[in-house]
Amino acid sequence: METAAFPEEVLSIGPVEIRPHGGLVTLNQRTLTLSVREFTLLVEIARRAGRIVSRAELYTLVWGAPLRAGDRSVDVYIHKLRVKLEDGAPGWAFIHTHVGFGYRFAPEPSHPFHNTATSR
Amino acid sequence: METAAFPEEVLSIGPVEIRPHGGLVTLNQRTLTLSVREFTLLVEIARRAGRIVSRAELYTLVWGAPLRAGDRSVDVYIHKLRVKLEDGAPGWAFIHTHVGFGYRFAPEPSHPFHNTATSR
DNA sequence: ACGGCTTCTTCACAGGTCGTTCACGGCGAG
DNA sequence: CTCGCCGTGAACGACCTGTGAAGAAGCCGT
């Protein structure tokens, strides 16, 4: 339609599709609901898909301030994103941890050895 | 660019059918009675179906002026629309809230089973 | 002009969601 | 074993949205 006003940027990676300017994320065609923080974090790490991004960099990108020692916000939000993403696309791994370095966004089918029974 | 949208423009989404130039809305073949504001708001958000539209944008589109801080008019009318729409088509969800972003028009059957996205 | 009814705004309160911070527990390296 | 790093669930106050109601304003037929 007569939208025309924004550079319709679209990040399409694996089953994920992100519209940074539309606030929308779809997983397997299904739109998922993210909070503002979750969305911003996803956008930033997804824009750097394939590379390891440090917590400090992610924090600066999303929170707009330098990461303070002991702050675990990034970890908490990475976890929230993992839950929503993996919940919407079972069998896929999206965000990988690199101990001591940071996180890396790279949607990949997870290994088939995983027991389907999600007990806890 | 489809300049002149002739008077026969019809928005048909799910069980809803809207004639922006006819002032008519039908839900499951039955016609709905909406006030001018309700109708205009529905037309604007429906024209952007599937996308998240911010309150500011909706206000500008419908009220023709910039949204003032603290104004809840959009919320109130979204509520009125939801009541009428869901009342005329039980089991369907039409307007979805995206906290911090705005509203998204997308008629979907509200799954009674298999919980989903409603929560964070 | 006048009453009666509908529509539009604005409030106020209730209920939900979000962002931040703790706390506890598992893991792997040294 | 001890320590540092990360995963995860929960607590809480701040903020955001849902909703019923009160009043003012606008419309209409008479």
Side-chain angles (χ1 to χ4, degrees), chain A residues 22-94:
Chain A
L24 247 188
V25 178
T26 61
L27 230 191
N28 290 326
Q29 339 301 331
R30 193 178 307 297
T31 109
L32 50 128
T33 304
L34 300 181
S35 73
V36 175
R37 280 272 192 266
E38 294 167 346
F39 179 77
T40 308
L41 176 58
L42 177 59
V43 167
E44 296 305 335
I45 198 175
R47 278 179 169 155
R48 296 165 179 71
R51 348 192 236 114
I52 298 176
V53 188
S54 71
R55 286 181 175 65
E57 187 176 348
L58 284 174
Y59 193 89
T60 299
L61 287 165
V62 178
W63 278 258
L67 177 63
R68 293 161 301 162
D71 193 314
R72 306 277 261 96
S73 299
V74 174
D75 301 66
V76 173
Y77 274 87
I78 286 292
H79 176 241
K80 292 183 178 182
L81 278 179
R82 278 175 170 160
V83 170
K84 291 192 177 181
L85 290 171
E86 288 163 25
D87 182 59
W92 285 75
F94 298 85

Side-chain angles (χ1 to χ4, degrees), chain B residues 30-99:
Chain B
R30 281 166 298 171
T31 89
L32 272 193
T33 302
L34 302 180
S35 74
V36 175
R37 283 270 193 267
E38 294 168 346
F39 179 76
T40 308
L41 177 58
L42 177 60
V43 167
E44 296 306 335
I45 197 174
R47 278 179 168 155
R48 296 165 180 72
R51 280 185 280 158
I52 296 176
V53 188
S54 71
R55 287 181 175 67
E57 187 175 348
L58 285 173
Y59 193 88
T60 299
L61 288 165
V62 178
W63 278 258
L67 177 63
R68 292 161 300 161
D71 193 312
R72 307 278 260 94
S73 300
V74 174
D75 301 66
V76 173
Y77 274 86
I78 285 291
H79 176 239
K80 293 183 177 182
L81 279 179
R82 292 216 259 227
V83 170
K84 292 193 177 181
L85 290 172
E86 288 164 25
D87 182 60
W92 285 74
F94 298 86
I95 302 174
H96 309 273
T97 301
H98 286 261
V99 180

